[in-house]
């Protein structure tokens, strides 16, 4: 995962904006950054982790053991800082 916070500037200089900007079917590409937080219970966070391929690739006994150890280390509530980028563009005239 890319866990570095997203910078407010340069949103159009990163993927997928760089690919979208190269498409002749779109014009006026814009990007908007939304910062938000999500609180989860320990179990909700473990369920969230279980959806990521890095954990799904592990053999079941190892994954269960790892999640048990992660669960022991986590507080009752886990706060996630989220960055979401919205890309907007208009369909280019034909």
């Amino acid at each position: 995962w890319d866990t570095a916070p997203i910078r407010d500037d340069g949103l159009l200089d990163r993927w997928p904006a760089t690919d979208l900007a190269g498409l002749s079917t779109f014009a006026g590409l814009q990007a908007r950054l939304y910062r938000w937080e999500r609180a989860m219970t320990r179990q909700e966070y473990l369920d969230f982790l279980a959806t990521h391929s890095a954990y799904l690739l592990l053999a079941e006994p190892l994954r269960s053991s790892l999640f048990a150890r992660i669960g022991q280390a986590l507080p009752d509530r886990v706060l996630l800082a989220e960055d979401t980028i919205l890309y907007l563009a208009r369909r280019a005239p034909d």
Side-chain angles (χ1 to χ4, degrees):
W1 295 312
D2 180 2
T3 58
I6 295 173
R7 294 173 43 116
D8 291 340
D9 61 335
L11 293 175
L12 295 176
D13 297 328
R14 56 185 292 140
W15 183 89
T18 51
D19 287 355
L20 293 171
L23 298 174
S24 62
T25 53
F26 296 112
L29 181 63
Q30 299 175 18
R32 298 181 183 157
L33 176 62
Y34 297 93
R35 296 188 189 281
W36 52 287
E37 293 183 342
R38 171 172 37 165
M40 298 179 156
T41 66
R42 178 187 299 119
Q43 188 57 54
E44 287 170 339
Y45 184 72
L46 291 171
D47 293 344
F48 169 72
L49 288 182
T51 67
H52 291 82
S53 59
Y55 297 106
L56 291 170
L57 293 173
L58 298 174
E60 177 50 37
L62 177 59
R63 185 172 54 243
S64 293
S65 174
L66 177 62
F67 280 10
R69 293 176 68 190
I70 292 171
Q72 290 172 349
L74 289 173
D76 291 339
R77 305 270 309 152
V78 178
L79 184 63
L80 298 180
E82 302 277 0
D83 291 339
T84 301
I85 303 173
L86 172 64
Y87 293 100
L88 301 166
R90 290 181 310 281
R91 185 179 302 249
D94 293 331

